[in-house]
Amino acid sequence: MVQRILTPTDGSDPSIRAIEQAVEIAKPSNATIHVLSVIPEMTRGARAQEEWDERVADALASAREMIDREGLEYEEARLNGPVAREIVDYATEHDIDLIVMGTHGQSGLHRFLIGSVTRRTIETSPIPVVTVPPEE
């Protein structure tokens, strides 16, 4: 039975869809949802940091509201570093049963050059990962 679900968020539409899916998965077992925002390690400068801090605060507040509305337990965390590694490390350290995360639907050269956080998380996670595709 799933008792602890991790859903990473950056406030994007795909991550919001993932939170909605995590809530649906959590309801039957009354699982706790852990919401994690990771500020990428490449973020430099006071202005960039301030923008990320605001984005993360908004993303976490939105997630908290969605989860509270369903009466589920909620935990949140903010980390800095390589995003996929921080997701997997957090999941391992907190005995997470399932990771639910959105995909941004990137393809082609952009995905090849930049890489996909979701793909890297799937490849390195010892914990099952459910991916939620972008809305068509």
Side-chain angles (χ1 to χ4, degrees):
M1 184 183 316
V2 175
Q3 291 299 308
R4 287 169 301 283
I5 299 169
L6 172 61
T7 184
T9 186
D10 59 5
S12 66
D13 288 341
S15 68
I16 291 168
R17 285 181 39 87
I19 294 165
E20 293 168 347
Q21 186 63 50
V23 166
E24 292 305 311
I25 294 168
K27 283 181 186 179
S29 63
N30 204 30
T32 299
I33 299 178
H34 293 245
V35 180
L36 172 64
S37 281
V38 180
I39 297 174
E41 64 184 341
M42 66 186 135
T43 305
R44 299 280 189 252
R47 183 174 182 167
Q49 185 66 45
E50 184 177 304
E51 288 173 8
W52 267 101
D53 287 343
E54 186 175 316
R55 181 177 180 177
V56 165
D58 290 346
L60 292 173
S62 175
R64 185 180 321 108
E65 182 180 310
M66 292 168 57
I67 295 165
D68 282 347
R69 191 173 34 239
E70 298 298 329
L72 295 166
E73 294 289 322
Y74 171 88
E75 299 211 13
E76 71 179 48
R78 299 174 190 213
L79 298 171
N80 293 13
V83 180
R85 187 180 78 204
E86 294 295 340
I87 292 168
V88 172
D89 288 351
Y90 181 95
T92 303
E93 292 166 9
H94 291 86
D95 295 321
I96 297 297
D97 300 309
L98 181 68
I99 300 170
V100 179
M101 60 192 303
T103 62
H104 286 272
Q106 295 174 343
S107 61
L109 183 60
H110 180 72
R111 183 174 183 164
F112 177 76
L113 293 173
I114 305 280
S116 164
V117 170
T118 303
R119 180 180 50 79
R120 285 191 302 267
T121 301
I122 291 167
E123 290 172 352
T124 60
S125 178
I127 296 155
V129 179
V130 171
T131 61
V132 179
E135 198 164 43
E136 298 274 331

